Amino acid sequence: MDSISMVKREPQASSLFSDADIIVKARLERVDMQMLDKLVEGLGHLGIVTTTNKALGEVMIQTTKHCWPDLKMAIEAMPFEIEFFG
């Protein structure tokens, strides 16, 4: 039996990271949406931006609870206004 199969069957392995992922919703000007996407993409491992409502400038940022503090600080330093919500 290989180690991957053993990890999948181990109940603690799935619960270890079950609460690590978070989704942050945000709103910004439509003209800044692509810039946010490119800048977050440039940060590599911190998160992924997905547009949820282009007309309203709404995005979803997928990250982890461990990466979010660094990503939030980086986003807040970016050259546009962004509002995080519910």
Side-chain angles (χ1 to χ4, degrees), residues 53-66:
N53 188 325
K54 186 175 180 179
L56 296 176
E58 293 180 354
V59 296
M60 171 179 71
I61 304 166
Q62 295 174 271
T63 186
T64 67
K65 67 179 181 181
H66 303 290

Side-chain angles (χ1 to χ4, degrees), residues 10-78:
E10 178 95 24
Q12 295 169 342
S14 63
S15 65
L16 183 62
F17 299 105
S18 63
D19 66 339
D21 292 329
I22 61 170
I23 295 178
V24 178
K25 296 179 183 178
R27 188 177 298 119
L28 65 161
E29 294 292 325
R30 287 182 57 193
V31 297
D32 297 325
M33 292 174 76
Q34 186 175 11
M35 178 66 74
L36 173 68
D37 186 44
K38 296 297 182 191
L39 291 172
V40 171
E41 183 179 304
L43 295 171
H45 66 283
L46 293 181
I48 299 170
V49 177
T50 304
T51 300
T52 55
N53 188 325
K54 186 175 180 179
L56 296 176
E58 293 180 354
V59 296
M60 171 179 71
I61 304 166
Q62 295 174 271
T63 186
T64 67
K65 67 179 181 181
H66 303 290
C67 291
W68 175 237
D70 292 333
L71 181 55
K72 184 177 185 216
M73 190 174 6
I75 290 172
E76 288 174 338
M78 292 179 184

